[in-house]
Amino acid sequence: MGIAVIYGSSRRNGNSEQLANLLVDGFEADRIYLSDYTIHPIVDYRHSDKGTYPDDDYHHVIKRVLAQDVLVFTTPIYWYGASGLTKTFIDRWSQSLRENKSEFLTTLSNKTAWVIGIGDDQPHLKGIPLVQQFQYVFEYTGTHFAGYVLGKGNKPGDIHQDTIAVATVAQIRKTWHF
Amino acid sequence: MGIAVIYGSSRRNGNSEQLANLLVDGFEADRIYLSDYTIHPIVDYRHSDKGTYPDDDYHHVIKRVLAQDVLVFTTPIYWYGASGLTKTFIDRWSQSLRENKSEFLTTLSNKTAWVIGIGDDQPHLKGIPLVQQFQYVFEYTGTHFAGYVLGKGNKPGDIHQDTIAVATVAQIRKTWHF
Amino acid sequence: MGIAVIYGSSRRNGNSEQLANLLVDGFEADRIYLSDYTIHPIVDYRHSDKGTYPDDDYHHVIKRVLAQDVLVFTTPIYWYGASGLTKTFIDRWSQSLRENKSEFLTTLSNKTAWVIGIGDDQPHLKGIPLVQQFQYVFEYTGTHFAGYVLGKGNKPGDIHQDTIAVATVAQIRKTWHF
Amino acid sequence: MGIAVIYGSSRRNGNSEQLANLLVDGFEADRIYLSDYTIHPIVDYRHSDKGTYPDDDYHHVIKRVLAQDVLVFTTPIYWYGASGLTKTFIDRWSQSLRENKSEFLTTLSNKTAWVIGIGDDQPHLKGIPLVQQFQYVFEYTGTHFAGYVLGKGNKPGDIHQDTIAVATVAQIRKTWHF
């Protein structure tokens, strides 16, 4: 039973990555840095007869995500939402719905998801819409939304000063028996 | 006093575009289709000594946006949020903050913004987090958030069946005296 | 097919009442002013062997509510939520759950609900949590949440200046064929 | 520097009370059980020439609240919101605004507030609107909203199984140096 960590930051070693690493340290985890890949915006072909999806890294990334049982979406809070990298990746799920809807949803419905969002401007309050969007996403896919951690940080490393976020992550680890 | 309509859909003539056009028809409007441009994800250089932003269409687009007084953000609701095109564009505002923060914020603080979000799955409820994210964005930039319209549609043209959204748009037009 | 309007204001002829009346004018409606009744706070007996609920007007009011097919919850936005009168009334639904859970839920699941919330401080944004609470209430009871109107007003009569709210109500009426 | 714990439950020794007690144990705290007092719904006299507020326990309770520096609002999540006891108490703040607005707001603006909300039905997600209402309340009063804990419980004592909520509370205590 493995974990996929989907890092949505534009840079390495930022606060959201650091908190996610505290969470998964010692567990088997596939670490997927979205910034390493090229994933183009979705094109909406729901109402077209034809259409070709971008030939980019989406299939590679979604395959790795779907191969794990626990998903940890890890994103800085950019402009009060998930990063564009994260959002663009999720938008592409519409492609998977078109390619094989029932398989895609069945696969996701057997997974458990966590969300980590780190920001600088009152993240515990202004990060709430981000959490609610994931709530609706997981309701749609049938994924169990196990919980989220909103934490405060600006300069890399700040997150360790958010002792409540760090303690929350330590406690979540204790509930993981896999 | 002109309007910039920022279309975030991946395709032309979709429901969000159609509703926005009902809103601005007859007014002077610069119609900006984000899907016509290449705007890469933000790279976070806030904590780097150097760094080069992508050489793409961002400057062209933001310049046109900032040239108008009324901004109409028009987006389909993809996965319960603004489209990746829209989110990635807004993420790039961090570049403008770094390039000239005071000028960027002063300019935005003199504008009025509207948001149109169209989706298929209970948009009036599940589109709320999208609205709240714009609320926080505009609080930060000091932009007057004049209102929003959430409407229901799936196939292009459906939006005309959402008679409440259409009536709302007609009423907003009547309050525009410019 | 009748309407129950549940007025939660502490006074008569306020803005929320005026907007609700624009909505239901000409339709058969049972107008229930919560301020006319004594409804005490819920006492939680879920984990007690015994317990007596307050002998007050709750049963009279809930009976009238359940007798109609369309419910219009009409409340001023007090401190960014439904009025205490409204909230205390809904809290008492826990009593109905204990008295006859399946009948209560079955009855509510066959109804359609609308919510009107009027406030003075950015009601379209700061009234959103109120809407979301009703969203969860109706999800639990299985009631169809048909829509909501958030409007702006302070002094009685102000609501007529919120031309968008008034137009929305006029449009909703046109969709009512009963 | 003392703490006022404002308990909004209808019964003693419930989960919200138990978690609040873990939080404040060993600190000087005035424990205010709203269910011990009679506080009637607000009557809105903002637009009346006269009007008499209910002669009940409101003044006694608000005086004790305002005498402390840290406020811990502790409520079960009833129907996805703060309890009617809690909401009715806050609604009466409108009376204090009328009696002496500047003194009331100045006093509250010097305080720090925490919110504890405990529920049974996905409290970390469905308790969010409750948090957002307090967010807007404290923005209005200028009170520093230091944080919140949403926890899961149904039967009294359940809260101790929510090890993340318990760990969060333990961590918050460590940040309290008064």
Side-chain angles (χ1 to χ4, degrees), chain A:
Chain A
M1 182 150 181
I3 301 167
V5 188
I6 303 107
Y7 299 98
S9 180
S10 70
R11 61 186 160 99
R12 287 295 179 96
N13 205 33
N15 285 303
S16 60
E17 178 180 342
Q18 290 187 35
L19 193 68
N21 290 348
L22 288 181
L23 178 63
V24 303
D25 182 43
F27 290 89
E28 180 193 334
D30 186 13
R31 294 156 192 262
I32 304 170
Y33 295 87
L34 294 178
S35 61
D36 285 351
Y37 299 100
T38 298
I39 299 180
H40 290 96
I42 184 70
V43 183
D44 185 347
Y45 291 126
R46 285 177 301 166
H47 311 290
S48 309
D49 285 341
K50 48 186 163 51
T52 311
Y53 287 106
D55 179 20
D56 57 16
D57 299 318
Y58 173 68
H59 275 127
H60 169 81
V61 172
I62 191 66
K63 195 174 169 186
R64 282 170 63 185
V65 168
L66 295 179
Q68 306 298 331
D69 300 299
V70 176
L71 312 182
V72 181
F73 290 88
T74 302
T75 181
I77 305 177
Y78 288 160
W79 294 94
Y80 311 103
S83 69
L85 282 171
T86 302
K87 185 58 172 57
T88 293
F89 171 61
I90 292 175
D91 281 5
R92 287 289 289 278
W93 294 7
S94 296
Q95 175 180 345
S96 295
L97 286 181
R98 239 174 94 91
E99 290 172 344
N100 195 333
K101 182 170 183 169
S102 68
E103 184 188 354
F104 184 67
L105 292 181
T106 301
T107 305
L108 278 174
S109 71
N110 289 316
K111 301 192 186 305
T112 292
W114 296 82
V115 170
I116 290 176
I118 311 297
D120 190 38
D121 181 12
Q122 298 186 274
H124 299 87
L125 297 174
K126 297 187 178 176
I128 280 178
L130 179 159
V131 170
Q132 292 186 316
Q133 288 177 336
F134 276 104
Q135 173 184 359
Y136 290 134
V137 167
F138 298 139
E139 274 181 19
Y140 179 80
T141 59
T143 306
H144 174 59
F145 189 5
Y148 57 88
V149 185
L150 296 170
K152 185 171 171 62
N154 184 331
K155 286 191 301 298
D158 278 1
I159 191 62
H160 299 278
Q161 309 305 318
D162 184 341
T163 55
I164 294 172
V166 171
T168 300
V169 154
Q171 191 58 43
I172 293 171
R173 287 170 56 86
K174 292 186 192 168
T175 68
W176 283 1
H177 305 291
F178 49 81

Side-chain angles (χ1 to χ4, degrees), chain C residues 40-52:
Chain C
H40 290 97
I42 185 68
V43 183
D44 184 348
Y45 290 126
R46 285 176 301 166
H47 310 290
S48 309
D49 286 341
K50 49 187 161 51
T52 311

Side-chain angles (χ1 to χ4, degrees), chain C residues 67-105:
Chain C
Q68 306 299 329
D69 299 299
V70 176
L71 312 182
V72 181
F73 290 88
T74 302
T75 180
I77 305 178
Y78 288 161
W79 294 92
Y80 311 103
S83 70
L85 283 171
T86 302
K87 185 58 172 58
T88 293
F89 171 61
I90 292 174
D91 281 5
R92 287 288 290 279
W93 293 7
S94 296
Q95 174 180 347
S96 295
L97 285 181
R98 239 174 95 90
E99 290 170 345
N100 194 334
K101 183 169 182 170
S102 67
E103 184 188 354
F104 184 67
L105 292 181

Side-chain angles (χ1 to χ4, degrees), chain B residues 28-99:
Chain B
E28 181 193 333
D30 185 13
R31 295 157 191 262
I32 304 170
Y33 295 88
L34 294 177
S35 62
D36 285 351
Y37 299 101
T38 299
I39 298 180
H40 290 97
I42 185 69
V43 184
D44 185 348
Y45 291 127
R46 285 177 301 166
H47 311 290
S48 309
D49 285 341
K50 47 184 163 53
T52 310
Y53 288 106
D55 179 20
D56 57 15
D57 299 319
Y58 173 67
H59 275 126
H60 169 81
V61 172
I62 192 67
K63 194 173 169 186
R64 282 170 61 186
V65 169
L66 295 179
Q68 306 299 330
D69 299 299
V70 176
L71 312 182
V72 181
F73 289 88
T74 302
T75 180
I77 304 178
Y78 288 161
W79 294 94
Y80 311 105
S83 70
L85 282 172
T86 302
K87 186 59 172 57
T88 293
F89 171 61
I90 292 175
D91 282 5
R92 287 289 288 279
W93 294 6
S94 296
Q95 174 180 346
S96 295
L97 285 181
R98 239 174 94 91
E99 291 171 344

Side-chain angles (χ1 to χ4, degrees), chain C residues 12-81:
Chain C
R12 288 295 179 97
N13 205 33
N15 285 303
S16 60
E17 177 180 343
Q18 290 186 34
L19 193 68
N21 290 348
L22 287 181
L23 178 63
V24 303
D25 182 42
F27 289 91
E28 180 192 335
D30 187 12
R31 295 158 191 261
I32 304 170
Y33 295 88
L34 293 177
S35 61
D36 284 352
Y37 299 101
T38 298
I39 299 180
H40 290 97
I42 185 68
V43 183
D44 184 348
Y45 290 126
R46 285 176 301 166
H47 310 290
S48 309
D49 286 341
K50 49 187 161 51
T52 311
Y53 287 107
D55 179 21
D56 57 16
D57 299 318
Y58 173 68
H59 275 125
H60 169 81
V61 172
I62 192 67
K63 194 173 170 186
R64 283 170 60 187
V65 168
L66 296 178
Q68 306 299 329
D69 299 299
V70 176
L71 312 182
V72 181
F73 290 88
T74 302
T75 180
I77 305 178
Y78 288 161
W79 294 92
Y80 311 103

